[in-house]
Amino acid sequence: MPNTKIKNALISVYHKDNLEPLLRLLHDAGVQLYSTGGTQKFIEELGLPVISVESLTGYPSILGGRVKTLHPKVFGGILGRKELASDKEQMKQYEIPSFEFVLVDLYPFEETLASGALHDEIIEKIDIGGISLIRAAAKNYKDVLIVSSRSQYNEIYNLLKEHNCSTSLNERRRFAAAAFDISSHYDTAIFSYLNQGVDLPVFKQSIRSNKPMRYGENPHQKGVFYGEFEAMFHQLHGKEISYNNLVDIDAAVNLIEEFPDETAFAILKHTNACGCATADSVKQAYLKAFEADTVSAFGGVLITNKNVDAEAAEEINKLFFEILVAPSFDEDALVVLKEKKNRILLVQKESLKTKKMFKTILNGVIEQDRDLITDHAGLLKVTTKRKPDRDEVQALIFASKICKHTKSNTIVLANRDQLLASGVGQTSRVDALKQAIEKARHFGFVLDGAVMASDAFFPFPDCVEIALKAGIKAVIQPGGSVRDKDSIDYCDAHEMAMVFTGVRHFKH
């Protein structure tokens, strides 16, 4: 099929920056321009001839600009099929010009929503005419070229300049696909806004920003990140971030947000914390976190919620690690940390804002609320005769925060400001506890006076029995087993303290 030459172009855009070169190119090629409203005025001020849509339709812009282009003489010119004689006859009968090019963008709905505007202003930024023009032109891509975003201005300018304002069918189809991507994303944003408080039971997500990964979880798998990583992080140094890096960064950010009022440091491997601590300085917090597992820390993902100074950097630099995330870095700290060229250094610019999470499963998707409940002293219900003392309560809360972000089944052993060990991802809670005890002892920790956290209830008293023998005297768990009393009775018989939170923190 030969290229289609543009004779008539309908142009109606909200964003006019970088539009002038394209308009002049069309004019110089003899293309007749049609426009309306602010775009028409913009074209006229450039000294270019333009026919108003109002003169074409015989109707002015009405209802405060809500209705401008919704007319058969406009949509007939876009939807008319050149290969059908009947369409051509009707267009001739009703004096409808044939449009080969439609350039339209949309009112900035998402930007207006993000600005905190009032409801009525947001509603007025729901584009009707523009979205209709885009869909019509994209549907009839066999005859019409549709450009639907200012991000395409440079691309279409170069294309039309190279081909003397003509396009191929494949080129028009590609722009049509992009147009439906834009229109569907726009509609999804509007739906998500209007569905707040309505909660229609449907799943809709649209994320246009994307970044191809080198590969997915493994080299034989393709991987793409959909989202705006740069909005949340600024990469100061290091190699390209991988799929697995992103997964670990996500886990690290979720964990560190549990400690908003303390100086905290965490080391993660495969999304689980192998070290976590709080202290008076980043250096001290790092050293305590590193103590918990000096082996797994190798090649880990590190995160802190405070500025990294030179003193901390000197210690951290002794470890081989993949990534360090922090809210800021001192310049002399960066000099030290940048000694390894592949080491990824990230400044976290904002906290997590998402309230939902989802993943593909079987032939569909499951969605749930993020686990936004952080256990605190007000949630604790003492179930034993002995109440935990102040230090024990602090340790129990600390352990529970880490437990929440560790793969189930999990047991976490800790003191008031340091992870001592954890049993991770075990099919048996007893196995998770035994793993944690063995690991703590391997790295030289004495568990006398330590506390234990579990992500779910104990169906039998075996875990508290094993914990007691290891030196643990206080336990935190959600409770909820029909046999809770068995564990409580064992604790009472051996002067252990146990608290229930009433909140389970499974993580699969």
Side-chain angles (χ1 to χ4, degrees):
M1 180 179 288
N3 283 8
T4 296
K5 178 78 172 178
I6 298 174
K7 299 177 182 177
N8 296 304
L10 175 61
I11 302 174
S12 179
V13 296
Y14 186 90
H15 301 99
K16 301 169 183 66
D17 42 313
N18 298 321
L19 182 60
E20 181 180 349
L22 181 56
L23 293 172
R24 294 196 180 279
L25 177 67
L26 293 169
H27 168 71
D28 292 344
V31 176
Q32 178 62 63
L33 305 180
Y34 290 78
S35 190
T36 185
T39 308
Q40 177 189 338
K41 182 180 179 182
F42 178 80
I43 296 172
E44 290 171 341
E45 289 175 348
L46 293 175
L48 302 177
V50 58
I51 297 175
S52 69
V53 168
E54 288 82 356
S55 65
L56 172 64
T57 64
Y59 278 87
S61 173
I62 62 173
L63 304 182
R66 280 189 164 197
V67 180
K68 291 181 283 191
T69 57
L70 296 170
H71 192 280
K73 281 200 171 184
V74 175
F75 282 86
I78 297 171
L79 290 166
R81 292 159 290 187
K82 293 184 185 299
E83 76 274 16
L84 287 186
S86 57
D87 280 13
K88 293 169 70 175
E89 290 174 5
Q90 284 189 319
M91 292 176 72
K92 183 178 180 181
Q93 177 184 355
Y94 294 108
E95 299 180 333
I96 299 174
S98 177
F99 294 110
E100 294 81 24
F101 181 29
V102 175
L103 173 58
V104 178
D105 65 3
L106 299 170
Y107 292 161
F109 177 83
E110 289 181 282
E111 293 88 337
T112 304
L113 179 61
S115 73
L118 298 176
H119 175 74
D120 286 349
E121 185 179 350
I122 294 169
I123 292 300
E124 284 306 311
K125 287 299 185 288
I126 297 177
D127 206 313
I128 303 300
I131 203 82
S132 303
L133 292 169
I134 287 172
R135 289 178 60 85
K139 176 178 180 176
N140 200 26
Y141 71 87
K142 287 179 68 176
D143 297 317
V144 183
L145 170 67
I146 174 64
V147 169
S148 48
S149 169
R150 58 178 165 170
S151 65
Q152 299 170 323
Y153 288 180
N154 289 336
E155 179 185 3
I156 197 61
Y157 174 85
N158 293 329
L159 179 66
L160 295 182
K161 184 177 182 180
E162 181 180 353
H163 297 293
N164 193 27
C165 285
S166 64
T167 57
S168 69
L169 180 62
N170 285 339
E171 289 164 345
R172 293 193 298 277
R173 178 167 179 160
R174 179 166 58 86
F175 277 95
F180 278 117
D181 170 41
I182 289 169
S183 66
S184 63
H185 176 82
Y186 194 78
D187 285 341
T188 298
I190 295 168
F191 166 80
S192 297
Y193 171 68
L194 293 178
N195 197 42
Q196 293 175 11
V198 178
D199 296 329
L200 295 177
V202 295
F203 179 82
K204 290 185 186 294
Q205 289 287 331
S206 179
I207 305 173
R208 300 192 66 243
S209 300
N210 65 87
K211 181 181 181 181
M213 303 281 97
R214 296 196 304 274
Y215 51 81
E217 196 164 9
N218 299 293
H220 63 279
Q221 296 170 272
K222 288 185 178 180
V224 181
F225 173 68
Y226 293 96
E228 297 182 2
F229 185 81
E230 291 76 14
M232 192 168 178
F233 300 97
H234 174 51
Q235 184 169 350
L236 299 176
H237 184 71
K239 63 183 179 180
E240 182 181 353
I241 293 172
S242 71
Y243 179 101
N244 290 331
N245 290 155
L246 287 173
V247 174
D248 283 329
I249 291 168
D250 176 71
V253 169
N254 274 278
L255 173 58
I256 209 70
E257 287 194 354
E258 299 288 347
F259 305 97
D261 302 319
E262 302 162 281
T263 299
F265 202 105
I267 305 171
L268 290 88
K269 284 291 283 290
H270 300 289
T271 74
N272 295 300
C274 57
C276 186
T278 60
D280 292 332
S281 70
V282 172
K283 175 185 174 180
Q284 292 173 323
Y286 163 72
L287 289 172
K288 288 166 65 177
F290 178 64
E291 263 188 334
D293 188 340
T294 58
V295 175
S296 297
F298 183 87
V301 172
L302 284 53
I303 189 167
T304 182
N305 58 358
K306 301 295 182 182
N307 175 68
V308 176
D309 58 21
E311 189 177 12
E314 290 288 352
E315 285 296 336
I316 296 169
N317 192 49
K318 298 174 185 178
L319 175 68
F320 171 78
F321 62 89
E322 287 264 336
I323 300 168
L324 173 57
V325 183
S328 58
F329 296 82
D330 285 346
E331 285 300 321
D332 48 357
L334 288 175
V335 171
V336 174
L337 293 169
K338 287 181 178 181
E339 290 176 1
K340 301 292 193 313
K341 67 176 183 178
N342 288 329
R343 179 182 283 166
I344 298 169
L345 303 177
L346 297 175
V347 171
Q348 184 178 346
K349 298 188 287 186
E350 61 180 36
S351 60
L352 285 170
K353 297 178 181 178
T354 55
K355 298 292 191 293
K356 298 281 187 179
M357 56 192 301
F358 60 89
K359 64 180 178 180
T360 58
I361 187 169
L362 300 175
N363 60 347
V365 174
I366 53 175
E367 181 186 56
Q368 66 173 349
D369 298 334
R370 278 182 59 212
D371 185 355
L372 298 175
I373 294 178
T374 296
D375 294 338
H376 55 85
L379 282 179
L380 304 187
K381 176 185 177 183
V382 179
T383 61
T384 51
K385 294 176 182 177
R386 186 175 83 80
K387 295 182 179 181
D389 61 31
R390 183 175 180 179
D391 283 349
E392 285 177 327
V393 168
Q394 187 172 344
L396 291 168
I397 295 299
F398 178 82
S400 181
K401 289 178 178 180
I402 300 169
C403 194
K404 170 184 169 181
H405 295 279
T406 307
K407 192 170 181 63
S408 300
N409 287 312
T410 185
I411 293 289
V412 167
L413 308 180
N415 57 34
R416 62 197 298 268
D417 55 12
Q418 183 181 29
L419 170 65
L420 303 180
S422 59
V424 177
Q426 299 299 303
T427 53
S428 160
R429 200 160 301 280
V430 170
D431 288 345
L433 174 56
K434 289 179 178 179
Q435 182 189 61
I437 292 171
E438 180 182 353
K439 190 173 181 180
R441 287 171 174 167
H442 175 77
F443 288 104
F445 290 108
V446 177
L447 294 176
D448 290 341
V451 303
M452 174 174 71
S454 174
D455 60 337
F457 61 66
F458 298 120
F460 305 103
D462 45 8
C463 279
V464 290
E465 182 178 352
I466 295 169
L468 176 68
K469 291 177 181 178
I472 292 161
K473 290 296 183 72
V475 179
I476 184 170
Q477 59 139 317
S481 169
V482 295
R483 302 185 65 172
D484 278 341
K485 190 174 184 299
D486 292 351
S487 294
I488 295 170
D489 289 346
Y490 185 88
C491 289
D492 282 339
H494 297 85
E495 297 184 342
M496 294 178 72
M498 180 183 286
V499 297
F500 286 3
T501 65
V503 180
R504 190 181 73 184
H505 294 295
F506 268 165
K507 185 183 178 189
H508 293 107

